[in-house]
Structure formats: C-alpha cells, structure tokens
Amino acid sequence: MRMNMSIFKVKVQVYAILMLAIVSACDYSNRTFLTEAALIPVPVSVSSSKGFFEFSEKTNIYLVNADLELHRVAEFLNDYISPSTGFLLSVKEVESAEDVFGVIFVLSDDSDFRNEEYELRIMPNKVVLTSATHEGIFRGIQTIRQLLPASIEKQTVQNDKWVIPAGVIRDYPRFQYRGAMLDVSRHFFGVEDVKRYIDYLASIKMNRFHMHLTDDQGWRIEIKSWPKLTEIGGQTQVGGGRGGFYTQDEFSEIVRYADDRFIVVVPEIDMPGHTNAALASYPELNPDGIAPELYTGIDVGFSTLDTRNELTYTFVEDVIREIAQLTTGDYLHIGGDESWVTAKEDYIYFINRVQDIVLKYNKRIVGWDEIATAELRPGAISQFWKHEENALKAAQQGGSIIVSPADRAYLDMKYDSTTVIGLSWSGFIEVDRAYEWEPTALVEGFPEALVYGVEAPLWTETIETMKDIEYMIFPRILGIAEIAWSSADNRSWDEYKFRLAAFEKRLSAKDVNFYKSPLVPRK
C-alpha cells in the first residue's frame, strides 16, 4: 500500500510537471486562475472557479433583450478578435441565457446596476456578460479582450489557444469622468491618428476625449462664419511645419467614432489667452488691432483677445454655436489658462460672459483651474492642473473638479533626464509617480464629493508623430486609467507593476512604441 501510494505521488508530480509545461508553452501562465489575470484597470471584485472557456470558429454570440445598439456593440467583439483568430462569430438573438452555450450578452433591466457596471460570468461552456446599459456591455468586452492571450492584439492570424479562465468579475468605475487630452494645436494630427488615440482610450475603459483644438501655434477646427481662422491660423505649427485643420465633416467623423466607443469628445477653444493664431487671422480681435505674425515657438502667456470689444463676443458666440452643433456630448472647454497679459478685471469679465454663451447653447462649461477666479456658473467644471488656491475657490463655489496635476498626470513630461522628447518644467514623471497618487488628497481641505474625475493631458510642443504619442502615453496612461476607474483601496504599486509587466506583451503585440521603464519587473 505504501509503495502504491508512492507511485501515485510520483505520477501526480509528473502530471503536474507536464501540465505546467503545457500551460507555459501555451502562454496560459498568467491566466491559470481568473484572480491572477493582469487586468488594467483592476476590477472591483474577481473570483476564480475551475476550468476555462475556449473561443473557436464554432462559438456564437447570443443577445438577450437585443436591440440595434446591442447588435452594434456585439460586433466590436468580432472586430477585436477576428484578425488574430480568423474567427467570425455569428450573432443571434435569444430569449434567455439558460439554454445556449457560447458568449452571451444580456441587457438587463436590473436597477441595481450602475450606468457602466457589468458582471462577467465565465464557465467552461459559456461566458455571460450582463449590464443594464450598452456602455456597460462595451466596458465588459474590453475585459474579455484582456483575458485572452496577448496575441489577440495581432492583426494577422495566430496559432494560439483562445482561452479565458473561469470565474466571476463584477466591475464598475469610481469616477464618472475618465479622460485623456490630445493637443492638436502645437502639432497637428490627422483623423486616423486621432482615431487610433481614441481606440487606446476605449481599450482601458476611459470615456472622455479632450481635444485641445486652438492655441497660439494653430487653429484646428473649421468655423464657417470665420473662415480665415483655418485659412491663415491653421497653416503652421511648432517649428514651422505646415500645420493643418479638421473640416467640420472630419471633426464630425471623429465625434461619431468616439461615440461608437462610448467616449465623449470634449472640444476646447482656449481663450482669452493662447489666441495668437486667431489674432493673426482676424486682427480686429486684437486689443491693438494689428495682426501678429504666425507663431511657431513654445512660449506662453503673450496673447489675448480684446475682452472689452463687442466684436470679440460675436466671434466667441459664432465659434461656440458651430462647435456645439458638431458635438454630441455635454461639454465645451473654454480654456482660460495662462492669460498673463489680460488684466485681471478684464479676464473675469470675459470668463463670466463666455460662460453665459456656453450655457445658451446647452453645454456644460469646462475650463482650466484659473476660471475659478471668476464667478462659476451652475454646473461648471474646473480642471485642476497646478494652482491649489484655484481648486479651493472652485470648491467654495460648489464647482466640480477634473483632477489633472501637472506633476503626476501630464504625459508630455519626461520620464527622466535621458528622455529624448518631452518637457520637464513640472519635473520628471516616472511610471510609479504617474500611478502613486490619490485624486481626492492633492489639495488639503478639498471635498472628495466634488471630484468629478481624472484626466491625463498630452501637450505636443515636442510630440510630432504617432510613435511619439505612444512613447509618452504608454505605459503611464494605463496607471491614470486605473486611478480613474478603480478604488483607492484596490490599488498598489507593488502589485500593479507586475500586472503592467504582463500588459506590456499586449502593447508589443499591437506594435505600440512604449517606454520600457526600469521599474517594471521583466523576466
């Protein structure tokens, strides 16, 4: 009996070794248990059970309580997995998830679900993704995508096993606003680059895309009632390049593309400062009435609209009206930062009047933290980037806050002194520094209830190509996404850095030009 037991133990050990070898060869190692999956952002709760679900060419997608929007969302899963798997999954409507096997999306009428909340139940014979909203289903699809092998991100058919471990994930975001900004004014980026940026945000459950459309170096959005803005002001950029702009049709295309991915476009028209491109186009908006030269440098704070000229407010209203008609979201960003040559009383007068114009067109006001020195209108959102006293002024007025600290969340800051591109006026931001901060604890005395969300801006003084964008945002934007989505007590750098190391395989599979931080442990 003792000999048989010994033989049994040896057989078990051999079997375990063989299974480990098989698992390692198939790259299942970080997906053996659902609780060990390298998900970013980290979900609210995860529990493991035995087994795996495997996608195959015979897998179907079933929809419960289907409508046209749920069909559209379901096709995103096909779009994600088809290039690498070669599968095109059939999409079918069913009455219930009970008697079918495959991938099942359930649009629930359960009032306990939050807007973006989803539940993902993975069993050996089915995957059931449930949410009360299409948006929640879409967020859950991103989790399914991350549970699959990293090779799912390839654009050619791969020889892999498309398995995900069994268990249950329940997940929902911490903050309503989870965004990133792209400055297309310092350097212009075309529609396809912008779409790629939006895709990156969607993959990590971000839901706001802030476009910095105007600045001293370029005006990037067609305004039909003021055509010289793009004819003159759109023709250059930092360093003297040819610049560019979006026609209204192109901008609408970007808005639709973001909407399809449940991302709201937040357009920014920066004023009364950062307006040299507008003043060069229409000198009558300049306090001295003289057209300045087009500007291709990177200094700030030297330009201003004529805040006591009624023509200025005709101009502002025309711009806001046309952009409001092009956007489907609730927001319009009025800038308001670094207007150093505008007299303080003129600045306050301008911001107050412009807020009223924004409200006239049924948009919610967003501005950099300096706007809190004026009288904030109801519903106004102040974007904290530097000045703590302005964050407190916004709080005193009951204004909401988007948190974007320049020394933590500005993705154009260099990683360290050896980084070739980027700036360093707010210090170096290594990957750990971009992750280890709490949005509600940056300003002493600031009410947590007023934190509306988190945003990571990317300014482009030194950023010229999509590869430049990728290098500066990845991997830091992953940490910002987690800060915005996941609760503070569910986050730890010591644990996150290992998930980040595993996630780098996905970035490589997508051919992303990311920064390989020495702080991230790699085998």
Side-chain angles (χ1 to χ4, degrees):
M1 181 68 179
R2 291 178 62 186
M3 180 65 71
N4 289 343
M5 182 60 70
S6 298
I7 293 171
F8 175 78
K9 288 181 179 179
V10 170
K11 287 182 176 179
V12 168
Q13 290 170 350
V14 171
Y15 177 79
I17 292 170
L18 287 172
M19 287 303 297
L20 180 60
I22 293 170
V23 164
S24 299
C26 295
D27 190 26
Y28 295 175
S29 56
N30 68 332
R31 294 180 301 281
T32 302
F33 298 103
L34 191 61
T35 49
E36 298 174 356
L39 296 173
I40 298 176
V42 63
V44 172
S45 67
V46 184
S47 61
S48 296
S49 55
K50 293 180 180 180
F52 297 87
F53 176 85
E54 182 173 356
F55 285 81
S56 74
E57 67 277 3
K58 296 180 181 179
T59 301
N60 292 324
I61 301 175
Y62 297 100
L63 308 181
V64 179
N65 297 326
D67 56 16
L68 289 176
E69 183 74 350
L70 190 59
H71 273 276
R72 187 187 67 79
V73 172
E75 288 303 330
F76 274 97
L77 183 58
N78 263 331
D79 291 342
Y80 290 142
I81 71 173
S82 290
S84 53
T85 65
F87 306 154
L88 184 61
L89 310 185
S90 295
V91 179
K92 303 178 180 181
E93 297 183 14
V94 292
E95 294 294 324
S96 167
E98 295 299 319
D99 299 323
V100 292
F101 305 105
V103 178
I104 308 161
F105 295 163
V106 180
L107 196 59
S108 173
D109 58 2
D110 187 346
S111 60
D112 289 339
F113 276 93
R114 298 165 176 83
N115 181 47
E116 297 178 78
E117 184 174 359
Y118 66 91
E119 181 187 75
L120 184 62
R121 289 187 170 272
I122 305 163
M123 294 160 273
N125 59 0
K126 66 175 68 178
V127 173
V128 183
L129 173 58
T130 306
S131 178
T133 63
H134 304 96
E135 188 173 0
I137 296 290
F138 186 81
R139 305 298 177 219
I141 288 172
Q142 311 315 311
T143 300
I144 293 173
R145 180 181 177 182
Q146 288 191 28
L147 288 172
L148 285 160
S151 54
I152 198 71
E153 305 294 345
K154 295 279 190 178
Q155 292 302 301
T156 57
V157 175
Q158 305 295 302
N159 182 22
D160 210 335
K161 286 284 189 179
W162 306 110
V163 299
I164 57 178
V168 179
I169 294 175
R170 189 85 181 213
D171 201 12
Y172 52 84
R174 180 184 184 190
F175 291 114
Q176 182 175 344
Y177 187 110
R178 308 179 305 280
M181 187 207 80
L182 179 61
D183 169 17
V184 297
S185 297
R186 272 41 177 266
H187 281 98
F188 179 70
F189 295 90
V191 172
E192 293 308 310
D193 282 342
V194 172
K195 287 180 177 180
R196 187 174 176 92
Y197 195 88
I198 290 170
D199 283 335
Y200 289 149
L201 303 187
S203 71
I204 50 177
K205 301 184 176 72
M206 284 188 162
N207 67 349
R208 300 291 185 268
F209 174 47
H210 174 181
M211 291 188 75
H212 185 77
L213 290 165
T214 69
D215 215 297
D216 292 312
Q217 298 86 353
W219 186 284
R220 306 301 183 203
I221 178 69
E222 176 189 22
I223 303 297
K224 293 183 182 296
S225 56
W226 296 76
K228 292 181 182 178
L229 290 170
T230 49
E231 290 172 6
I232 297 174
Q235 300 308 310
T236 191
Q237 59 186 11
V238 167
R242 64 182 180 85
F245 66 93
Y246 309 107
T247 66
Q248 292 197 357
D249 286 344
E250 288 172 330
F251 184 72
S252 295
E253 181 183 346
I254 290 169
V255 171
R256 286 193 301 271
Y257 192 85
D259 283 347
D260 285 347
R261 288 148 183 80
F262 299 93
I263 292 176
V264 175
V265 172
V266 181
E268 180 186 352
I269 305 299
D270 206 349
M271 49 189 169
H274 290 276
T275 46
N276 192 81
L279 302 178
S281 305
Y282 289 98
E284 57 267 38
L285 301 174
N286 202 10
D288 64 10
I290 300 171
E293 295 292 324
L294 289 171
Y295 184 66
T296 60
I298 63 172
D299 289 337
V300 299
F302 59 87
S303 61
T304 183
L305 293 169
D306 185 351
T307 63
R308 298 293 177 169
N309 183 349
E310 283 304 307
L311 181 63
T312 294
Y313 299 98
T314 300
F315 162 75
V316 169
E317 181 160 1
D318 286 342
V319 170
I320 288 175
R321 183 188 68 253
E322 292 194 32
I323 292 179
Q325 292 169 349
L326 298 172
T327 53
T328 56
D330 296 334
Y331 312 95
L332 201 148
H333 202 301
I334 61 174
D337 61 318
E338 299 174 323
S339 196
W340 297 336
V341 296
T342 314
K344 190 63 178 178
E345 61 273 19
D346 292 338
Y347 175 85
I348 292 172
Y349 175 80
F350 177 86
I351 294 297
N352 286 340
R353 282 196 63 172
V354 170
Q355 288 185 89
D356 291 337
I357 295 171
V358 172
L359 291 175
K360 177 180 176 180
Y361 292 95
N362 299 312
K363 296 296 183 181
R364 190 171 181 182
I365 301 141
V366 188
W368 298 104
D369 63 42
E370 289 94 327
I371 71 165
T373 60
E375 182 182 343
L376 294 181
R377 300 300 189 255
I381 303 170
S382 174
Q383 187 165 0
F384 168 62
W385 68 282
K386 184 178 181 181
H387 307 99
E388 293 186 9
E389 65 275 17
N390 290 338
L392 291 172
K393 286 178 181 177
Q396 290 162 4
Q397 297 186 66
S400 298
I401 303 288
I402 297 168
V403 183
S404 302
D407 62 344
R408 297 283 185 166
Y410 269 33
L411 301 178
D412 53 300
M413 293 297 109
K414 293 174 179 284
Y415 292 96
D416 59 29
S417 61
T418 68
T419 309
V420 175
I421 55 177
L423 302 173
S424 58
W425 58 263
S426 192
F428 301 129
I429 304 179
E430 245 292 359
V431 176
D432 59 340
R433 184 167 178 80
Y435 182 81
E436 290 189 290
W437 58 279
E438 166 52 36
T440 64
L442 292 175
V443 180
E444 186 176 354
F446 184 75
E448 180 174 346
L450 294 183
V451 176
Y452 187 55
V454 175
E455 181 181 290
L458 178 67
W459 303 100
T460 61
E461 288 93 337
T462 66
I463 313 301
E464 300 183 33
T465 68
M466 193 67 210
K467 288 299 183 184
D468 291 344
I469 288 176
E470 291 173 346
Y471 187 80
M472 297 307 284
I473 70 172
F474 286 112
R476 291 182 293 193
I477 199 168
L478 302 172
I480 302 296
E482 182 151 303
I483 290 168
W485 180 278
S486 306
S487 64
D489 58 6
N490 210 15
R491 293 191 286 108
S492 162
W493 166 254
D494 288 337
E495 183 274 334
Y496 169 75
K497 64 185 178 183
F498 291 101
R499 281 187 287 120
L500 182 55
F503 200 94
E504 285 184 350
K505 297 177 182 178
R506 298 185 179 276
L507 298 179
S508 295
K510 287 194 285 190
D511 194 30
V512 171
N513 181 38
F514 66 94
Y515 165 69
K516 296 176 178 61
S517 171
L519 303 181
V520 177
R522 300 179 187 87
K523 294 181 180 179

